[in-house]
Amino acid sequence: MYREFTVPDELEIFEKTDAWPEMDESGAYVLTFQYSDTEHLFFSYDVPGRSVRLRWVAENGETIADVFREGATRLSVRHSPGETLIVTDFDMGECNGSLVLRTRPRVKVSDQLLF
């Protein structure tokens, strides 16, 4: 069963994350977070493709984490004075779960997939 991937509008995402969703050549939106002059976190989401990708790149250009997931149904952004979270829920029929990315104050990733 097909389920729509719902996401907040670009302004809401910007207001809560301080990162403007930029469209890449494939049509996915990319949020870029910089933690030092050369350490970056890229979070992209593709609404028609119902997918998200998280890439965390270290100072030396080495990829620390690269996570790609399909079957996304909802993306939400939660912001408080102490932290900012990007939460993506997934439903793939027999499996469902969530990917929680904390962008502030420090990067933290929680991924849960249940059968």
Side-chain angles (χ1 to χ4, degrees):
M1 175 181 175
Y2 179 80
R3 294 199 46 201
E4 181 181 9
F5 180 23
T6 60
V7 300
D9 66 33
E10 295 167 358
L11 184 58
E12 181 181 345
I13 292 172
F14 174 73
E15 289 174 342
K16 292 181 178 179
T17 66
D18 287 330
W20 186 262
E22 299 283 342
M23 189 177 285
D24 70 9
E25 64 281 348
S26 73
Y29 289 95
V30 180
L31 302 173
T32 303
F33 303 94
Q34 186 170 343
Y35 293 97
S36 68
D37 288 340
T38 55
E39 186 175 358
H40 296 83
L41 176 70
F42 303 97
F43 179 81
S44 60
Y45 58 96
D46 179 359
V47 175
R50 297 180 55 217
S51 63
V52 298
R53 183 177 185 195
L54 162 81
R55 279 190 36 227
W56 184 8
V57 181
E59 293 180 20
N60 63 2
E62 181 180 2
T63 299
I64 296 170
D66 191 349
V67 177
F68 177 79
R69 294 276 292 286
E70 293 182 316
T73 57
R74 183 176 55 145
L75 185 136
S76 60
V77 181
R78 301 176 191 156
H79 176 73
S80 68
E83 68 181 2
T84 301
L85 303 174
I86 299 173
V87 180
T88 309
D89 296 319
F90 299 88
D91 185 349
M92 296 166 280
E94 295 180 8
C95 304
N96 60 44
S98 63
L99 175 69
V100 180
L101 168 62
R102 183 177 72 187
T103 61
R104 301 276 186 255
R106 292 188 321 232
V107 176
K108 181 179 179 183
V109 179
S110 268
D111 187 25
Q112 183 178 49
L113 185 63
L114 303 171
F115 291 96

